[in-house]
Amino acid sequence: MTQVEIGRGKTGRRAYALDEIGIVPSRRTRDPEEVSISWQIDAYRFELPLVVSPMDSVVSPKTAIEIGRLGGLAVLDLEGLWTRYDDPTPLLEEVATLDQAAATRRLQEIYTAPIKDELIARRIEEIRAAGVTTAVRLSPQRTVQHHKAVIDAGVDIFVIRGTTVSAEHVSGRAEPLNLKQFIYELDVPVIVGGCATYTAALHLMRTGAAGVLVGFGGGASHTTRNVLGVVVPMATAISDVAAARRDYMDESGGRYVHVIADGGMGGSGDIAKAIACGADAVMVGSPLARAAEAPGRGFHWGSEAHHPDLPRGRRVEFGTIGTLEQILHGPSSVADGSMNLMGALRRTMATAGYSDLKEFQRVEVVVAPPQP
């Protein structure tokens, strides 16, 4: 890719965000009802290419069960309020009433309570008992400490998610998590990330992960770009990681690692463009924070918002627009792409002439200036 001169001493690639590309229809169209948007990771098949972000404002045991019944996969954050408190409902209600200026400080205070292994087991069992696929998240820093409780409780899919996760973390203070050894010793599929480059993704794929998260998560609620200066536009990031998936298949003799776009999925158009760039599924947070059932009561925040030393997120107010089912499957009463997300994806694929997700990854895209 052409290098752009930043100045005499620095060059960089031109990268593209999702709102800078457009999907090009092919010579044929299809009936949306004949389009399949199902996907499968390891032994688990889902009717929707949807993974719901491990955020307390979106995923509780109750909403995880409902999302599973609607065809998606919800990931419960095991470093959130549901594993720190027997009943976090009063605290969730409080967060929804906080003044914006006080929100970050109060979130930091609330999340200082210790994580309890007995609550980890209880929450996993609650979701499993409903008969849906159970997925949970830990950060790389907490995985060694709590993974045994997770596995003993019978989780189906283990997500190791941080702002940036590498296969080679260097630390002089503590023994870092050896992802390759850790994943090899587990009997459950592991999804790991985020990453945003070809090389980082290739290294994560070589650890044995079943899926790789692309992006830095958080989306609308995180401020990593402002606080750390770290950003890679999602269209380019997804395309680079999809290329790593292709090359890793050749390297490994056919092993397929799923690419999950994580962050920046603000509406149905973003979801379609993420898959067009090569994603197998998308991790969504903010669109479902608007659901009537969402624990955040119209507010949205991620784990970055309550970091004890350097918060890189904020509590955002989105309000409520409908139920989980309406947001995912419609009908929609608005024209901004915030409802009937999966119906819109089907229609995009049908308009472009593709019948399933793997075919749709080959759709032509163009660079299109973002709308003002």
Side-chain angles (χ1 to χ4, degrees):
M1 186 178 291
T2 304
Q3 294 285 315
V4 177
E5 184 178 285
I6 309 298
R8 293 197 178 195
K10 181 69 70 173
T11 60
R13 287 196 304 156
R14 172 67 167 94
Y16 296 94
L18 291 172
D19 63 358
E20 294 179 279
I21 68 165
I23 294 169
V24 180
S26 67
R27 62 183 174 83
R28 66 165 63 91
T29 57
R30 295 181 182 274
D31 189 324
E33 297 303 316
E34 297 177 1
V35 169
S36 170
I37 59 172
S38 64
W39 77 299
Q40 182 167 331
I41 182 166
D42 203 84
Y44 302 98
R45 181 180 174 84
F46 304 94
E47 293 305 310
L48 311 178
L50 177 85
V51 183
V52 183
S53 299
M55 295 169 145
D56 280 341
S57 54
V58 181
V59 180
S60 65
K62 184 176 180 180
T63 58
I65 292 167
E66 180 61 17
I67 290 162
R69 288 173 175 163
L70 290 170
L73 173 69
V75 182
L76 183 70
D77 185 7
L78 295 186
E79 298 176 29
L81 298 179
W82 293 94
T83 57
R84 298 174 190 264
Y85 299 93
D86 288 329
D87 181 12
T89 304
L91 293 170
L92 291 165
E93 292 173 349
E94 179 190 349
V95 171
T97 65
L98 291 174
D99 177 82
Q100 188 61 39
T104 296
R105 185 182 295 265
R106 182 57 180 146
L107 284 171
Q108 289 174 315
E109 294 171 350
I110 291 172
Y111 283 88
T112 58
I115 299 168
K116 302 172 183 176
D117 282 353
E118 61 268 25
L119 286 179
I120 289 177
R122 187 190 306 175
R123 304 311 182 197
I124 291 173
E125 174 54 34
E126 188 176 343
I127 300 170
R128 279 179 55 84
V132 301
T133 303
T134 307
V136 298
R137 171 261 179 187
L138 284 171
S139 66
Q141 296 85 353
R142 304 263 193 177
T143 294
V144 172
Q145 181 181 357
H146 296 292
H147 78 277
K148 189 175 186 304
V150 173
I151 300 303
D152 289 347
V155 75
D156 296 314
I157 297 175
F158 197 159
V159 179
I160 302 175
R161 179 180 186 254
T163 301
T164 303
V165 177
S166 72
E168 296 183 34
H169 179 67
V170 178
S171 174
R173 296 180 301 167
E175 183 69 23
L177 174 66
N178 184 325
L179 275 174
K180 188 169 186 177
Q181 179 181 344
F182 179 80
I183 292 173
Y184 176 78
E185 293 174 352
L186 291 182
D187 290 329
V188 299
V190 177
I191 298 171
V192 63
C195 68
T197 67
Y198 172 95
T199 301
L202 193 58
H203 285 194
L204 288 179
M205 291 172 185
R206 289 169 177 162
T207 66
V212 170
L213 299 172
V214 185
F216 302 121
S221 69
H222 88 44
T223 58
T224 299
R225 178 173 187 164
N226 295 334
V227 177
L228 300 183
V230 174
V231 59
V232 180
M234 282 296 286
T236 296
I238 296 166
S239 300
D240 284 350
V241 175
R245 175 187 61 203
R246 177 199 63 211
D247 292 348
Y248 178 69
M249 280 188 68
D250 291 340
E251 173 188 305
S252 64
R255 185 173 182 272
Y256 190 91
V257 179
H258 293 267
V259 172
I260 302 168
D262 179 13
M265 302 296 118
S268 56
D270 296 321
I271 293 171
K273 287 188 278 189
I275 295 173
C277 286
D280 297 289
V282 296
M283 182 169 270
V284 170
S286 59
L288 299 186
R290 297 179 172 95
E293 303 96 323
R297 294 157 175 77
F299 288 85
H300 186 47
W301 67 94
S303 58
E304 303 89 355
H306 54 79
H307 192 282
D309 301 317
L310 190 64
R312 301 181 301 280
R314 58 179 176 263
R315 187 201 59 165
V316 180
E317 183 175 7
F318 284 122
T320 300
I321 60 173
T323 65
L324 282 170
E325 184 167 8
Q326 288 172 322
I327 292 172
L328 291 180
H329 295 300
S332 174
S333 57
V334 294
D336 60 3
S338 62
M339 298 183 75
N340 196 4
L341 303 178
M342 297 297 104
L345 175 60
R346 282 192 178 91
R347 186 164 293 276
T348 300
M349 292 171 61
T351 300
Y354 293 87
S355 61
D356 61 44
L357 296 174
K358 293 306 300 179
E359 284 189 358
F360 186 57
Q361 289 174 346
R362 300 194 296 269
V363 70
E364 180 184 354
V365 299
V366 293
V367 176
Q371 294 180 331

